Amino acid sequence: RDLLLDDLDTVNAPDQIVEAVLNSAIFGTGIVKINTYVGREDKPVRNAETKKLEAKGDERVYVSVESIRPDEFIPDPSATRIADMLGCAHRAKKPMHSVLEKITAGVYRKEALNGLAPVQRADNKDVDHQDPQSMVTPADADEVDVVEYHGKVPLKLLNKLQEAKTTLDQLLELDTASPDDTTDGELVESIITIANGSILLRAMPNPFVMQDRCIIAFQHEKVPGRFWGRGVAEKGYNPQ
């Protein structure tokens, strides 16, 4: 039990779970994403010869919980459960350095580096100088708009995506050139990640043995026939 609690604290799981429960109470639906990755577990060890502290450790598998805000989640509107959806997506702003680190580690495609070059900001006459937040653009803030899709994709199209270049035009050509690729054939569980709407970061089959999705959703109060639940404010509106 103590080891389990230590592992949960290592990946900051308690805070993320609390945030998900709070989101469900406010918005009616709590959503979390289970991330699995390999990292190093280093500990300070004193060198017997030099008497200096050194970081030593081994690689291990980490399983973390990431809370998703409802406004950052894109569900399939025709389904009420994650398992019944054709697919769903998590859209969020990520720091540039975290995306570059994953490219270096081999998680994302190295070809994506060409599309992630800094964009020069043009002068905007509509900027409100009384509102500092309106003066900050994603390029200035060093942010990347990342969309991660979890769901079924035609196997033929997935094979082409894994070999495609990073431009959005070429991705759209794959989708429209041969309609049979998207209407016929086997559908496979996949994870597709796109940055800034035009840069393919990753296209891979679902790596998990049971082919289960990494997204988990729960409702504060279930509404029949609807994916989105009922939160505390909505539930108390009519009695008030």
Side-chain angles (χ1 to χ4, degrees):
R1 182 192 62 184
D2 293 340
L3 180 59
L4 174 61
L5 293 176
D6 289 342
D7 288 343
L8 292 174
D9 288 333
T10 300
V11 295
N12 197 31
D15 288 346
Q16 295 297 311
I17 294 174
V18 168
E19 182 178 331
V21 173
L22 182 59
N23 282 334
S24 70
I26 297 174
F27 301 104
T29 304
I31 308 168
V32 297
K33 181 168 64 174
I34 308 299
N35 297 314
T36 305
Y37 60 95
V38 177
R40 288 186 58 85
E41 184 181 24
D42 292 330
K43 295 182 179 180
V45 178
R46 190 172 297 279
N47 191 305
E49 296 180 358
T50 62
K51 305 300 181 182
K52 293 183 179 180
L53 285 177
E54 299 176 352
K56 293 185 178 181
D58 299 323
E59 290 187 343
R60 57 166 293 188
V61 177
Y62 290 90
V63 180
S64 65
V65 180
E66 180 182 357
S67 176
I68 300 177
R69 293 205 324 250
D71 61 319
E72 294 180 346
F73 183 69
I74 307 173
D76 183 349
S78 62
T80 59
R81 297 171 59 246
I82 296 291
D84 297 336
M85 295 180 181
L86 177 64
C88 55
H90 175 208
R91 181 174 186 174
K93 300 290 185 180
K94 298 293 184 180
M96 176 70 76
H97 73 87
S98 66
V99 176
L100 296 179
E101 288 175 354
K102 290 185 177 181
I103 293 176
T104 304
V107 178
Y108 293 156
R109 304 168 72 242
K110 293 184 178 181
E111 293 82 358
L113 282 174
N114 298 330
L116 291 175
V119 179
Q120 297 295 330
R121 177 184 173 185
D123 294 334
N124 188 356
K125 298 181 180 180
D126 297 331
V127 171
D128 183 5
H129 294 279
Q130 301 298 324
D131 182 11
Q133 187 63 32
S134 69
M135 301 171 64
V136 179
T137 66
D140 297 328
D142 203 25
E143 292 180 343
V144 180
D145 184 19
V146 177
V147 177
E148 187 173 278
Y149 170 83
H150 295 257
K152 296 182 180 298
V153 172
L155 179 59
K156 295 180 181 179
L157 187 58
L158 178 62
N159 293 334
K160 291 183 179 181
L161 282 174
Q162 290 177 312
E163 302 174 357
K165 296 183 179 180
T166 59
T167 64
L168 179 60
D169 292 339
Q170 288 166 337
L171 294 179
L172 293 177
E173 287 177 4
L174 290 176
D175 187 34
T176 58
S178 53
D180 292 340
D181 289 345
T182 59
T183 57
D184 297 331
E186 179 185 1
L187 294 175
V188 294
E189 283 288 337
S190 307
I191 300 176
I192 312 295
T193 307
I194 297 177
N196 294 336
S198 61
I199 305 168
L200 181 63
L201 295 178
R202 178 172 61 178
M204 58 182 291
N206 191 320
F208 300 105
V209 176
M210 302 302 296
Q211 295 294 293
D212 48 351
R213 295 172 181 173
C214 302
I215 308 294
I216 300 174
F218 61 96
Q219 290 76 28
H220 180 76
E221 183 178 76
K222 182 68 177 178
V223 178
R226 197 174 77 174
F227 169 76
W228 300 109
R230 183 184 291 115
V232 174
E234 183 181 354
K235 186 176 180 180
Y237 176 77
N238 289 326
Q240 182 185 15

